[in-house]
Amino acid sequence: MAPALAPGPELLTAVVAALVLIAIAGALYTHRLGLSHLLVFMAVGMLAGVDGPLGLPFDSHRLAVNVGNLAVALILFDGGLRTRWPEVRRGLLPASLLATVGVAATAVIVAGIARLLLDLPWAGGLLLGAAVSSTDAAAVFAQFSASRLKLAPRLGATIEVESAMNDPMAMVLTLGLIAWLTPLGQTGDMRVAGLADLLWLLGEQLGLGLTLGVAGGLLAAWWVRRLPIADDHDGLAALLLAALGFLLFAVTNRSGGSGFLAVYIAGLLVRHRAERVAALGLPGLNGYTWLAQAVLFLLLGLLVTPHEVWRLIGPALLVAAGLMFIARPAAVLLCLAPLGFDWRSQCFVAWSGLRGAVPIVLAIYPVLAGLPDGWRCFDVAFVVVLLSLLIQGPTLAPLARWLGLNQP
């Protein structure tokens, strides 16, 4: 009798390919119900995980974080390439306020809710609030594309630009708080001993991200305009743009800046100054971003342990409701009311604060740092994202029509 063969790379390839195929097929059918494609990818990952029929063990948080960072970077770069500069100028001021003051206000309010419902200390509550405070560019772009909403230019630009700009703020707050809470007050090469250090870290991340994003975007646009890229080189153009985005993301992160902010700004500048090459590569780049989202949400679904999440389901649902109905609307009111946004626009901006991969990826960092409340933060962040995609996503288009914001 022939000896049994150990599972090899062929089995792993077949399992991953089968999961992606099932997720895509499910997404195409559930799209008619208004559900996010990302939700289906995550659900398939959960069904294949330890509590699902396949029972695949997966606990590589480091891999999930690395894949998540690369996927979000590619999505933000693609989002910048798809956004025209006049649209950015219309929504830059309100989006900047929401991405900074709004994120901080959301984190503080969620911290108070978490302290009340989960009995977390203020530091742990702030860490959870920082992780779930930013809206997710992938979820917002995907939902807006699926619902085919036609919003007023300033309103639409505010929502889309905010979703791309607030990730750096949430990332800095999360990592800064972790560095503050860990022994010796440091994580990796970061040291945060107090509020002054946290503010310095924020300024460094945003300042270097902005500077390198502008410099990298201008240099990339100047270079790609001079390459002999013909009209039938769409595949090469997509690969070229993706490589440029990843290179800038890595260099900016290595320099201590926010790679997420840098790639979004670079995408805007490449679209503005090298529009032919950008438009040529966008169809192929769209395929790369879908692949990144599919793999990322499958991994996040595999990482979740549903029976552990169930233990916190009651308080976690209340935290998610507090975020949607209290924290986010309060932050939007604080930032947009002084700028002349009417109540209908404020309601829609508040409800369009979709959560996606970024909060779950950020919630993995406390687990990696070994913080006592790390697992609770991760489980609650997962419930927040799940509820957002289940409730807010499908109701965005009906709400826009009910408020009279959808323009024919």
Side-chain angles (χ1 to χ4, degrees):
M1 185 175 66
L5 296 177
E10 295 83 3
L11 178 59
L12 178 61
T13 302
V15 170
V16 172
L19 291 177
V20 172
L21 289 174
I22 293 171
I24 292 175
L28 293 175
Y29 283 107
T30 56
H31 172 68
R32 301 176 181 178
L33 303 176
L35 294 175
S36 171
H37 299 79
L38 310 178
L39 183 63
V40 179
F41 293 136
M42 185 183 293
V44 171
M46 292 172 62
L47 290 174
V50 290
D51 285 352
L54 290 182
L56 297 178
F58 179 78
D59 59 355
S60 180
H61 295 84
R62 178 66 62 184
L63 175 62
V65 165
N66 292 336
V67 171
N69 287 337
L70 292 177
V72 173
L74 182 61
I75 291 163
L76 288 174
F77 188 59
D78 177 79
L81 288 169
R82 295 180 187 278
T83 306
R84 297 181 180 275
W85 188 247
E87 298 174 6
V88 176
R89 286 188 297 181
R90 291 189 187 102
L92 186 58
L93 177 58
S96 300
L97 283 176
L98 287 170
T100 52
V101 177
V103 167
T106 302
V108 171
I109 297 173
V110 171
I113 297 172
R115 181 173 172 80
L116 178 65
L117 297 174
L118 295 169
D119 197 28
L120 287 175
W122 272 110
L126 282 172
L127 186 56
L128 173 62
V132 301
S133 60
S134 71
T135 61
D136 189 75
V140 170
F141 292 156
Q143 196 62 46
F144 270 40
S145 175
S147 58
R148 298 181 181 179
L149 289 173
K150 286 288 186 179
L151 303 173
R154 188 189 187 200
L155 179 60
T158 297
I159 296 171
E160 293 194 10
V161 175
E162 181 218 354
S163 70
M165 291 181 64
N166 59 15
D167 291 337
M169 180 71 172
M171 177 73 74
V172 170
L173 285 177
T174 302
L175 294 181
L177 286 167
I178 291 174
W180 196 354
L181 294 173
T182 48
L184 302 180
Q186 57 188 1
T187 298
D189 56 356
M190 287 193 308
R191 182 174 180 84
V192 177
L195 181 60
D197 288 341
L198 189 61
L199 293 176
W200 175 262
L201 176 63
L202 176 63
E204 181 183 40
Q205 285 268 313
L206 297 182
L208 282 175
L210 177 63
T211 302
L212 293 178
V214 171
L218 292 175
L219 181 61
W222 174 85
W223 184 53
V224 298
R225 281 204 316 266
R226 284 157 177 78
L227 291 177
I229 301 177
D231 291 342
D232 58 346
H233 290 167
D234 50 343
L236 285 176
L239 187 58
L240 172 70
L241 292 172
L244 285 171
F246 283 135
L247 177 62
L248 179 60
F249 178 73
V251 169
T252 305
N253 279 349
R254 188 65 179 175
S255 303
S258 170
F260 295 127
L261 181 61
V263 294
Y264 181 70
I265 292 174
L268 290 173
L269 291 172
V270 171
R271 173 62 185 263
H272 181 59
R273 303 178 69 91
E275 187 166 2
R276 188 187 75 85
V277 178
L280 188 64
L282 277 176
L285 197 62
N286 189 46
Y288 297 159
T289 58
W290 272 112
L291 176 62
Q293 292 180 61
V295 173
L296 172 58
F297 275 82
L298 281 172
L299 284 179
L300 294 178
L302 284 168
L303 198 59
V304 171
T305 309
H307 74 267
E308 294 180 358
V309 176
W310 188 253
R311 298 172 185 169
L312 289 172
I313 191 63
L317 287 174
L318 291 176
V319 170
L323 171 63
M324 290 191 292
F325 294 106
I326 299 175
R328 171 71 178 176
V332 169
L333 177 65
L334 176 66
C335 296
L336 299 189
L339 299 181
F341 282 77
D342 59 26
W343 68 270
R344 297 180 304 159
S345 297
Q346 291 181 45
C347 287
F348 188 76
V349 173
W351 196 246
S352 63
L354 299 178
R355 268 63 189 174
V358 173
I360 302 180
V361 171
L362 291 181
I364 295 175
Y365 282 100
V367 178
L368 289 175
L371 294 179
D373 296 312
W375 278 108
R376 281 205 287 174
C377 287
F378 177 79
D379 292 339
V380 173
F382 172 77
V383 174
V384 166
V385 171
L386 196 61
L387 204 64
S388 177
L389 295 178
L390 274 173
I391 296 179
Q392 289 179 288
T395 56
L396 266 184
L399 178 63
R401 289 191 288 268
W402 182 73
L403 293 172
L405 298 175
N406 191 35
Q407 300 180 349

